[in-house]
Amino acid sequence: MSSAAPSTIHEPSSSVAIGDGEKRPLAEEEGEVGDKEKEKEVIRKAIKDAAEMKDEGNKFFSEKNWTSAITAYKQGLSYLPPAPPKARAHATTEQGDQGSNTHDGSLNKEQDDVKKEEENPGTMGNRPLSPSPHQTMMTAADPPFKKECSEARVILYANIAACELKLEAWEATVSAATSALDENPHHTKSLWRRAKANEAIDSWSSLTAAQNDYTMLKEIVGPSDPLHRDAVSALKALEPRIEIVRKRDTDKMMGQLKDVGNSVLGWFGLSTDNFQMTPNGEGGYSMNFVNRA
C-alpha cells in the first residue's frame, strides 16, 4: 500500500509584498498604520482645542474685549496645522461652504457676524501665527480632516479681522482678512472687512484694493443681499475719491523725488527746475532740459 503524502503546513507570512516581488515585515506595515491613526488622533484633539479657544474668544467678543478675543483666536490658530503651501500662495477655486452671504454693512453688527461665522463657515486661512505641541506631529501637505482644519482657520482669521476692525487697526484687519481669503477668495465677510479697512487706510493703492474687493462682492452675492447694495454704494463713492487720492499721492511722490533730485543735482550747480516734464500723450511724460541761467 502506498502511504498518503504528508500535508503541507503553511506558516503565516511575516512580510507583505510591496511590488516587484519585494517584501517588507508586517511589523513595519502595522507601524505605519499606527502612526496614521496617531496623527488622526492628534489632529482631532487640535480641532477640539481650537474650537474651545474660538468659544473663549467669542465670549470676550460679546463683552467687547477685542484684545483678549484676538489673543484667544490666535491661540486657537496655533493648535491647527498650517494650510498647504499651494493654497497659501494662490487660491483659484472655492472649497466647501462659502460662508454666510448676509451682512447689513454696519460696523455695529460685527458681533452678530462673528456668531454667524460659526454657524456657516467657509474655507480658509493661512499659516498659524506660532507653533504648538500639536503641530510638531502634523504635516502641511495633506493632513487628515483637511476640510475641518480649513474651516476652523477661516472662522478664526475672520473673527480676528472683525476684532481688528473694531480696534481700528486697519493694517492688521487687512492682514487677517487676507489670511482667510488666501484659500477662499470668495469669503464674503473677509472681503467686506478688508475693503472697509483699506478704505480707512486711504491711500491710492488701498482704495484701489477696496474697489477690487467691493467689485468681487457685487459679483458673488445676489442683488437682494444687503452686502450687494453696500458694495454698489461703496463703488460709486470710491470712483471720484480714488482719482482725488491718486493725484494727492502722485503729487506727494513727485515732491519727494524732487527733493532727492535737488540734493544730487546741487553738486553740479543744477536743480530739478532745469528739467521740464511734459505729458507725452501716451500716459507718460517726456523730460526736457531748460537753461535757467
Side-chain angles (χ1 to χ4, degrees), residues 255-289:
Q256 291 171 339
L257 289 173
K258 186 174 180 178
D259 290 342
V260 173
N262 284 335
S263 66
V264 175
L265 292 172
W267 289 93
F268 305 96
L270 298 172
S271 75
T272 53
D273 292 334
N274 294 111
F275 299 88
Q276 186 177 46
M277 304 285 288
T278 56
N280 60 15
E282 299 177 355
Y285 292 85
S286 59
M287 182 183 293
N288 300 305
F289 179 78

Side-chain angles (χ1 to χ4, degrees), residues 198-261:
N198 272 321
E199 274 197 86
I201 291 172
D202 195 41
S203 68
W204 181 17
S205 61
S206 71
L207 291 179
T208 301
Q211 185 180 48
N212 292 337
D213 285 344
Y214 284 131
T215 299
M216 175 72 79
L217 280 172
K218 187 180 73 169
E219 293 173 352
I220 65 178
V221 300
S224 62
D225 193 304
L227 243 180
H228 185 277
R229 295 193 294 272
D230 184 53
V232 170
S233 176
L235 285 169
K236 288 180 181 178
L238 273 175
E239 190 170 348
R241 184 178 167 192
I242 286 175
E243 182 57 30
I244 293 171
V245 173
R246 182 194 67 79
K247 186 177 185 306
R248 180 199 72 192
D249 288 0
T250 301
D251 290 346
K252 180 180 178 181
M253 180 184 67
M254 293 301 291
Q256 291 171 339
L257 289 173
K258 186 174 180 178
D259 290 342
V260 173

Side-chain angles (χ1 to χ4, degrees), residues 105-120:
S106 170
L107 292 181
N108 294 329
K109 295 298 182 181
E110 282 292 336
Q111 184 168 333
D112 291 337
D113 285 343
V114 168
K115 179 63 178 173
K116 291 175 185 175
E117 198 81 61
E118 294 178 49
E119 296 167 353
N120 194 10

